[in-house]
mmCIF file of all heavy atoms in Angstrom:
data_model
loop_
_atom_site.group_PDB
_atom_site.id
_atom_site.type_symbol
_atom_site.label_atom_id
_atom_site.label_comp_id
_atom_site.label_asym_id
_atom_site.label_seq_id
_atom_site.Cartn_x
_atom_site.Cartn_y
_atom_site.Cartn_z
ATOM 1 N N LEU A 1 -38.865 296.658 354.222
ATOM 2 C CA LEU A 1 -40.260 297.064 354.421
ATOM 3 C C LEU A 1 -40.534 298.441 353.818
ATOM 4 O O LEU A 1 -41.597 298.676 353.236
ATOM 5 C CB LEU A 1 -40.583 297.055 355.915
ATOM 6 C CG LEU A 1 -40.451 295.686 356.606
ATOM 7 C CD1 LEU A 1 -40.800 295.797 358.081
ATOM 8 C CD2 LEU A 1 -41.309 294.636 355.925
ATOM 9 N N ARG A 2 -39.577 299.347 353.957
ATOM 10 C CA ARG A 2 -39.764 300.681 353.376
ATOM 11 C C ARG A 2 -39.788 300.617 351.852
ATOM 12 O O ARG A 2 -40.604 301.297 351.195
ATOM 13 C CB ARG A 2 -38.644 301.610 353.849
ATOM 14 C CG ARG A 2 -38.803 303.066 353.412
ATOM 15 C CD ARG A 2 -40.098 303.672 353.939
ATOM 16 N NE ARG A 2 -40.140 303.648 355.384
ATOM 17 C CZ ARG A 2 -39.666 304.628 356.161
ATOM 18 N NH1 ARG A 2 -39.098 305.682 355.616
ATOM 19 N NH2 ARG A 2 -39.766 304.544 357.465
ATOM 20 N N PHE A 3 -38.926 299.807 351.246
ATOM 21 C CA PHE A 3 -38.910 299.670 349.795
ATOM 22 C C PHE A 3 -40.241 299.079 349.293
ATOM 23 O O PHE A 3 -40.763 299.508 348.266
ATOM 24 C CB PHE A 3 -37.754 298.765 349.345
ATOM 25 C CG PHE A 3 -36.389 299.354 349.551
ATOM 26 C CD1 PHE A 3 -35.258 298.543 349.504
ATOM 27 C CD2 PHE A 3 -36.218 300.704 349.798
ATOM 28 C CE1 PHE A 3 -33.989 299.084 349.689
ATOM 29 C CE2 PHE A 3 -34.951 301.246 349.987
ATOM 30 C CZ PHE A 3 -33.836 300.435 349.932
ATOM 31 N N VAL A 4 -40.748 298.096 350.025
ATOM 32 C CA VAL A 4 -42.030 297.501 349.633
ATOM 33 C C VAL A 4 -43.143 298.539 349.730
ATOM 34 O O VAL A 4 -43.993 298.653 348.830
ATOM 35 C CB VAL A 4 -42.349 296.276 350.505
ATOM 36 C CG1 VAL A 4 -43.777 295.782 350.247
ATOM 37 C CG2 VAL A 4 -41.355 295.146 350.235
ATOM 38 N N GLU A 5 -43.173 299.316 350.803
ATOM 39 C CA GLU A 5 -44.201 300.354 350.951
ATOM 40 C C GLU A 5 -44.129 301.387 349.834
ATOM 41 O O GLU A 5 -45.137 301.979 349.465
ATOM 42 C CB GLU A 5 -44.038 301.043 352.306
ATOM 43 C CG GLU A 5 -44.444 300.170 353.481
ATOM 44 C CD GLU A 5 -44.127 300.802 354.819
ATOM 45 O OE1 GLU A 5 -43.286 301.734 354.868
ATOM 46 O OE2 GLU A 5 -44.713 300.367 355.826
ATOM 47 N N ARG A 6 -42.949 301.587 349.268
ATOM 48 C CA ARG A 6 -42.777 302.529 348.158
ATOM 49 C C ARG A 6 -43.133 301.912 346.809
ATOM 50 O O ARG A 6 -43.047 302.567 345.775
ATOM 51 C CB ARG A 6 -41.326 303.027 348.111
ATOM 52 C CG ARG A 6 -40.906 303.887 349.287
ATOM 53 C CD ARG A 6 -41.622 305.242 349.277
ATOM 54 N NE ARG A 6 -41.048 306.151 350.264
ATOM 55 C CZ ARG A 6 -41.414 306.215 351.541
ATOM 56 N NH1 ARG A 6 -42.383 305.425 351.979
ATOM 57 N NH2 ARG A 6 -40.843 307.072 352.367
ATOM 58 N N GLY A 7 -43.519 300.630 346.813
ATOM 59 C CA GLY A 7 -43.942 299.992 345.581
ATOM 60 C C GLY A 7 -42.823 299.485 344.702
ATOM 61 O O GLY A 7 -43.028 299.179 343.523
ATOM 62 N N ILE A 8 -41.605 299.340 345.252
ATOM 63 C CA ILE A 8 -40.463 298.895 344.448
ATOM 64 C C ILE A 8 -40.580 297.413 344.106
ATOM 65 O O ILE A 8 -40.114 296.967 343.054
ATOM 66 C CB ILE A 8 -39.154 299.188 345.208
ATOM 67 C CG1 ILE A 8 -38.967 300.703 345.337
ATOM 68 C CG2 ILE A 8 -37.948 298.552 344.514
ATOM 69 C CD1 ILE A 8 -37.809 301.113 346.223
ATOM 70 N N GLY A 9 -41.194 296.642 344.981
ATOM 71 C CA GLY A 9 -41.365 295.212 344.744
ATOM 72 C C GLY A 9 -42.086 294.589 345.916
ATOM 73 O O GLY A 9 -42.516 295.284 346.848
ATOM 74 N N VAL A 10 -42.233 293.287 345.872
ATOM 75 C CA VAL A 10 -42.844 292.557 346.980
ATOM 76 C C VAL A 10 -41.727 291.908 347.782
ATOM 77 O O VAL A 10 -40.568 291.888 347.369
ATOM 78 C CB VAL A 10 -43.832 291.484 346.475
ATOM 79 C CG1 VAL A 10 -44.912 292.104 345.599
ATOM 80 C CG2 VAL A 10 -43.098 290.364 345.721
ATOM 81 N N ALA A 11 -42.078 291.359 348.945
ATOM 82 C CA ALA A 11 -41.085 290.666 349.767
ATOM 83 C C ALA A 11 -41.762 289.519 350.503
ATOM 84 O O ALA A 11 -42.959 289.569 350.797
ATOM 85 C CB ALA A 11 -40.442 291.617 350.767
ATOM 86 N N VAL A 12 -40.985 288.489 350.795
ATOM 87 C CA VAL A 12 -41.457 287.362 351.592
ATOM 88 C C VAL A 12 -41.012 287.605 353.030
ATOM 89 O O VAL A 12 -39.814 287.733 353.306
ATOM 90 C CB VAL A 12 -40.881 286.026 351.078
ATOM 91 C CG1 VAL A 12 -41.357 284.868 351.956
ATOM 92 C CG2 VAL A 12 -41.290 285.793 349.631
ATOM 93 N N VAL A 13 -41.985 287.679 353.934
ATOM 94 C CA VAL A 13 -41.695 287.980 355.339
ATOM 95 C C VAL A 13 -42.542 287.083 356.230
ATOM 96 O O VAL A 13 -43.553 286.536 355.800
ATOM 97 C CB VAL A 13 -41.986 289.464 355.676
ATOM 98 C CG1 VAL A 13 -41.166 290.400 354.801
ATOM 99 C CG2 VAL A 13 -43.469 289.769 355.547
ATOM 100 N N PRO A 14 -42.163 286.929 357.490
ATOM 101 C CA PRO A 14 -43.018 286.206 358.434
ATOM 102 C C PRO A 14 -44.328 286.962 358.663
ATOM 103 O O PRO A 14 -44.371 288.199 358.616
ATOM 104 C CB PRO A 14 -42.169 286.169 359.712
ATOM 105 C CG PRO A 14 -40.771 286.405 359.252
ATOM 106 C CD PRO A 14 -40.867 287.321 358.093
ATOM 107 N N ALA A 15 -45.399 286.235 358.945
ATOM 108 C CA ALA A 15 -46.721 286.848 359.086
ATOM 109 C C ALA A 15 -46.749 287.922 360.162
ATOM 110 O O ALA A 15 -47.447 288.936 360.028
ATOM 111 C CB ALA A 15 -47.763 285.766 359.387
ATOM 112 N N MET A 16 -45.990 287.740 361.252
ATOM 113 C CA MET A 16 -46.038 288.697 362.351
ATOM 114 C C MET A 16 -45.510 290.074 361.968
ATOM 115 O O MET A 16 -45.851 291.073 362.597
ATOM 116 C CB MET A 16 -45.247 288.171 363.556
ATOM 117 C CG MET A 16 -45.917 287.046 364.295
ATOM 118 S SD MET A 16 -45.062 286.640 365.841
ATOM 119 C CE MET A 16 -43.527 285.940 365.235
ATOM 120 N N VAL A 17 -44.680 290.145 360.943
ATOM 121 C CA VAL A 17 -44.087 291.422 360.547
ATOM 122 C C VAL A 17 -45.153 292.416 360.095
ATOM 123 O O VAL A 17 -44.973 293.633 360.206
ATOM 124 C CB VAL A 17 -43.045 291.190 359.430
ATOM 125 C CG1 VAL A 17 -42.616 292.496 358.784
ATOM 126 C CG2 VAL A 17 -41.830 290.468 359.994
ATOM 127 N N VAL A 18 -46.284 291.917 359.610
ATOM 128 C CA VAL A 18 -47.314 292.788 359.041
ATOM 129 C C VAL A 18 -48.144 293.473 360.126
ATOM 130 O O VAL A 18 -48.896 294.400 359.839
ATOM 131 C CB VAL A 18 -48.217 291.979 358.088
ATOM 132 C CG1 VAL A 18 -49.133 292.885 357.274
ATOM 133 C CG2 VAL A 18 -47.367 291.150 357.124
ATOM 134 N N ILE A 19 -48.009 293.045 361.386
ATOM 135 C CA ILE A 19 -48.793 293.633 362.475
ATOM 136 C C ILE A 19 -48.554 295.139 362.539
ATOM 137 O O ILE A 19 -47.417 295.609 362.531
ATOM 138 C CB ILE A 19 -48.411 292.988 363.824
ATOM 139 C CG1 ILE A 19 -48.717 291.494 363.814
ATOM 140 C CG2 ILE A 19 -49.142 293.660 364.972
ATOM 141 C CD1 ILE A 19 -48.225 290.778 365.061
ATOM 142 N N ASP A 20 -49.651 295.908 362.606
ATOM 143 C CA ASP A 20 -49.592 297.367 362.767
ATOM 144 C C ASP A 20 -48.806 298.052 361.656
ATOM 145 O O ASP A 20 -48.134 299.065 361.884
ATOM 146 C CB ASP A 20 -48.988 297.735 364.135
ATOM 147 C CG ASP A 20 -49.829 297.246 365.302
ATOM 148 O OD1 ASP A 20 -51.062 297.188 365.149
ATOM 149 O OD2 ASP A 20 -49.249 296.917 366.347
ATOM 150 N N ARG A 21 -48.879 297.521 360.439
ATOM 151 C CA ARG A 21 -48.226 298.163 359.298
ATOM 152 C C ARG A 21 -49.261 298.383 358.197
ATOM 153 O O ARG A 21 -49.377 297.595 357.260
ATOM 154 C CB ARG A 21 -47.055 297.314 358.784
ATOM 155 C CG ARG A 21 -45.881 297.263 359.755
ATOM 156 C CD ARG A 21 -44.675 296.582 359.169
ATOM 157 N NE ARG A 21 -43.585 296.589 360.116
ATOM 158 C CZ ARG A 21 -42.682 297.564 360.232
ATOM 159 N NH1 ARG A 21 -42.764 298.609 359.446
ATOM 160 N NH2 ARG A 21 -41.718 297.497 361.131
ATOM 161 N N PRO A 22 -50.030 299.481 358.312
ATOM 162 C CA PRO A 22 -51.094 299.732 357.323
ATOM 163 C C PRO A 22 -50.570 299.974 355.922
ATOM 164 O O PRO A 22 -51.345 299.892 354.956
ATOM 165 C CB PRO A 22 -51.788 300.981 357.883
ATOM 166 C CG PRO A 22 -50.773 301.648 358.757
ATOM 167 C CD PRO A 22 -49.969 300.528 359.347
ATOM 168 N N GLY A 23 -49.274 300.266 355.779
ATOM 169 C CA GLY A 23 -48.726 300.491 354.449
ATOM 170 C C GLY A 23 -48.427 299.218 353.688
ATOM 171 O O GLY A 23 -47.997 299.279 352.533
ATOM 172 N N LEU A 24 -48.682 298.056 354.329
ATOM 173 C CA LEU A 24 -48.397 296.776 353.692
ATOM 174 C C LEU A 24 -49.676 295.959 353.510
ATOM 175 O O LEU A 24 -50.571 295.981 354.362
ATOM 176 C CB LEU A 24 -47.403 295.972 354.527
ATOM 177 C CG LEU A 24 -45.995 296.558 354.693
ATOM 178 C CD1 LEU A 24 -45.180 295.682 355.633
ATOM 179 C CD2 LEU A 24 -45.299 296.694 353.355
ATOM 180 N N HIS A 25 -49.730 295.250 352.415
ATOM 181 C CA HIS A 25 -50.813 294.299 352.139
ATOM 182 C C HIS A 25 -50.187 292.913 352.034
ATOM 183 O O HIS A 25 -49.163 292.734 351.372
ATOM 184 C CB HIS A 25 -51.497 294.663 350.814
ATOM 185 C CG HIS A 25 -52.464 293.619 350.330
ATOM 186 N ND1 HIS A 25 -53.693 293.408 350.901
ATOM 187 C CD2 HIS A 25 -52.346 292.712 349.314
ATOM 188 C CE1 HIS A 25 -54.307 292.430 350.260
ATOM 189 N NE2 HIS A 25 -53.517 291.988 349.300
ATOM 190 N N SER A 26 -50.775 291.917 352.704
ATOM 191 C CA SER A 26 -50.174 290.577 352.705
ATOM 192 C C SER A 26 -51.071 289.561 352.024
ATOM 193 O O SER A 26 -52.302 289.682 352.040
ATOM 194 C CB SER A 26 -49.884 290.115 354.141
ATOM 195 O OG SER A 26 -51.075 289.848 354.832
ATOM 196 N N ARG A 27 -50.445 288.577 351.395
ATOM 197 C CA ARG A 27 -51.134 287.439 350.791
ATOM 198 C C ARG A 27 -50.437 286.155 351.201
ATOM 199 O O ARG A 27 -49.230 286.158 351.459
ATOM 200 C CB ARG A 27 -51.112 287.554 349.268
ATOM 201 C CG ARG A 27 -52.046 288.590 348.707
ATOM 202 C CD ARG A 27 -51.568 289.076 347.356
ATOM 203 N NE ARG A 27 -50.354 289.874 347.494
ATOM 204 C CZ ARG A 27 -49.519 290.127 346.496
ATOM 205 N NH1 ARG A 27 -49.725 289.606 345.313
ATOM 206 N NH2 ARG A 27 -48.440 290.874 346.691
ATOM 207 N N ARG A 28 -51.187 285.103 351.255
ATOM 208 C CA ARG A 28 -50.613 283.811 351.626
ATOM 209 C C ARG A 28 -49.753 283.289 350.481
ATOM 210 O O ARG A 28 -50.051 283.473 349.304
ATOM 211 C CB ARG A 28 -51.714 282.795 351.954
ATOM 212 C CG ARG A 28 -52.668 283.252 353.016
ATOM 213 C CD ARG A 28 -53.602 282.156 353.455
ATOM 214 N NE ARG A 28 -53.018 281.398 354.566
ATOM 215 C CZ ARG A 28 -53.742 280.715 355.440
ATOM 216 N NH1 ARG A 28 -55.052 280.685 355.342
ATOM 217 N NH2 ARG A 28 -53.148 280.065 356.414
ATOM 218 N N LEU A 29 -48.683 282.613 350.849
ATOM 219 C CA LEU A 29 -47.813 281.939 349.892
ATOM 220 C C LEU A 29 -48.167 280.459 349.924
ATOM 221 O O LEU A 29 -48.097 279.818 350.982
ATOM 222 C CB LEU A 29 -46.348 282.162 350.263
ATOM 223 C CG LEU A 29 -45.293 281.528 349.347
ATOM 224 C CD1 LEU A 29 -45.429 282.062 347.928
ATOM 225 C CD2 LEU A 29 -43.895 281.795 349.886
ATOM 226 N N VAL A 30 -48.552 279.914 348.777
ATOM 227 C CA VAL A 30 -49.019 278.518 348.726
ATOM 228 C C VAL A 30 -48.286 277.759 347.616
ATOM 229 O O VAL A 30 -47.649 278.339 346.745
ATOM 230 C CB VAL A 30 -50.544 278.455 348.476
ATOM 231 C CG1 VAL A 30 -51.297 279.108 349.633
ATOM 232 C CG2 VAL A 30 -50.913 279.139 347.150
ATOM 233 N N ARG A 31 -48.400 276.453 347.718
ATOM 234 C CA ARG A 31 -47.830 275.525 346.731
ATOM 235 C C ARG A 31 -46.383 275.868 346.379
ATOM 236 O O ARG A 31 -46.094 276.256 345.244
ATOM 237 C CB ARG A 31 -48.713 275.447 345.478
ATOM 238 C CG ARG A 31 -50.101 274.937 345.764
ATOM 239 C CD ARG A 31 -50.776 274.398 344.521
ATOM 240 N NE ARG A 31 -50.905 275.382 343.460
ATOM 241 C CZ ARG A 31 -51.914 276.255 343.348
ATOM 242 N NH1 ARG A 31 -52.883 276.288 344.250
ATOM 243 N NH2 ARG A 31 -51.968 277.087 342.328
ATOM 244 N N PRO A 32 -45.432 275.684 347.335
ATOM 245 C CA PRO A 32 -45.659 275.190 348.694
ATOM 246 C C PRO A 32 -45.865 276.332 349.696
ATOM 247 O O PRO A 32 -45.477 277.472 349.445
ATOM 248 C CB PRO A 32 -44.333 274.470 349.012
ATOM 249 C CG PRO A 32 -43.315 275.320 348.304
ATOM 250 C CD PRO A 32 -43.980 275.760 347.024
ATOM 251 N N GLN A 33 -46.477 275.965 350.806
ATOM 252 C CA GLN A 33 -46.559 276.908 351.924
ATOM 253 C C GLN A 33 -45.255 276.819 352.708
ATOM 254 O O GLN A 33 -44.782 275.729 353.006
ATOM 255 C CB GLN A 33 -47.743 276.551 352.826
ATOM 256 C CG GLN A 33 -47.929 277.505 353.993
ATOM 257 C CD GLN A 33 -49.057 277.062 354.914
ATOM 258 O OE1 GLN A 33 -48.836 276.265 355.827
ATOM 259 N NE2 GLN A 33 -50.251 277.546 354.656
ATOM 260 N N LEU A 34 -44.684 277.961 353.023
ATOM 261 C CA LEU A 34 -43.438 278.000 353.780
ATOM 262 C C LEU A 34 -43.732 278.449 355.210
ATOM 263 O O LEU A 34 -44.461 279.418 355.421
ATOM 264 C CB LEU A 34 -42.431 278.955 353.136
ATOM 265 C CG LEU A 34 -42.051 278.674 351.680
ATOM 266 C CD1 LEU A 34 -41.008 279.682 351.205
ATOM 267 C CD2 LEU A 34 -41.521 277.258 351.522
ATOM 268 N N THR A 35 -43.174 277.740 356.161
ATOM 269 C CA THR A 35 -43.378 278.080 357.571
ATOM 270 C C THR A 35 -42.031 278.078 358.295
ATOM 271 O O THR A 35 -41.033 277.582 357.782
ATOM 272 C CB THR A 35 -44.318 277.086 358.273
ATOM 273 O OG1 THR A 35 -43.715 275.783 358.266
ATOM 274 C CG2 THR A 35 -45.676 277.040 357.597
ATOM 275 N N ARG A 36 -42.038 278.628 359.483
ATOM 276 C CA ARG A 36 -40.865 278.568 360.343
ATOM 277 C C ARG A 36 -41.330 278.415 361.780
ATOM 278 O O ARG A 36 -42.453 278.805 362.130
ATOM 279 C CB ARG A 36 -40.000 279.817 360.205
ATOM 280 C CG ARG A 36 -40.654 281.092 360.738
ATOM 281 C CD ARG A 36 -39.697 282.246 360.653
ATOM 282 N NE ARG A 36 -40.178 283.425 361.371
ATOM 283 C CZ ARG A 36 -39.450 284.507 361.606
ATOM 284 N NH1 ARG A 36 -38.208 284.566 361.167
ATOM 285 N NH2 ARG A 36 -39.947 285.536 362.269
ATOM 286 N N THR A 37 -40.482 277.831 362.617
ATOM 287 C CA THR A 37 -40.775 277.673 364.037
ATOM 288 C C THR A 37 -39.905 278.640 364.827
ATOM 289 O O THR A 37 -38.695 278.701 364.625
ATOM 290 C CB THR A 37 -40.510 276.230 364.510
ATOM 291 O OG1 THR A 37 -41.357 275.342 363.786
ATOM 292 C CG2 THR A 37 -40.789 276.084 366.001
ATOM 293 N N VAL A 38 -40.547 279.387 365.716
ATOM 294 C CA VAL A 38 -39.837 280.314 366.595
ATOM 295 C C VAL A 38 -39.675 279.643 367.957
ATOM 296 O O VAL A 38 -40.648 279.127 368.527
ATOM 297 C CB VAL A 38 -40.602 281.640 366.739
ATOM 298 C CG1 VAL A 38 -39.895 282.570 367.734
ATOM 299 C CG2 VAL A 38 -40.734 282.322 365.385
ATOM 300 N N ASN A 39 -38.464 279.612 368.470
ATOM 301 C CA ASN A 39 -38.149 278.948 369.734
ATOM 302 C C ASN A 39 -37.512 279.928 370.710
ATOM 303 O O ASN A 39 -36.821 280.870 370.305
ATOM 304 C CB ASN A 39 -37.154 277.802 369.521
ATOM 305 C CG ASN A 39 -37.555 276.866 368.400
ATOM 306 O OD1 ASN A 39 -38.235 275.882 368.616
ATOM 307 N ND2 ASN A 39 -37.108 277.172 367.179
ATOM 308 N N LEU A 40 -37.706 279.659 371.985
ATOM 309 C CA LEU A 40 -36.953 280.348 373.025
ATOM 310 C C LEU A 40 -35.775 279.462 373.392
ATOM 311 O O LEU A 40 -35.958 278.301 373.767
ATOM 312 C CB LEU A 40 -37.824 280.596 374.254
ATOM 313 C CG LEU A 40 -37.103 281.267 375.436
ATOM 314 C CD1 LEU A 40 -36.778 282.712 375.100
ATOM 315 C CD2 LEU A 40 -37.934 281.172 376.707
#
């Protein structure tokens, strides 16, 4: 996350990671869309 904020490159992360991180901009990944299921 710190490397991405410094502009070194982009990263693929879960959507929740972007919460309360104003230094990051997120875009949807499509064709294909990748998802994951979180379980307890």
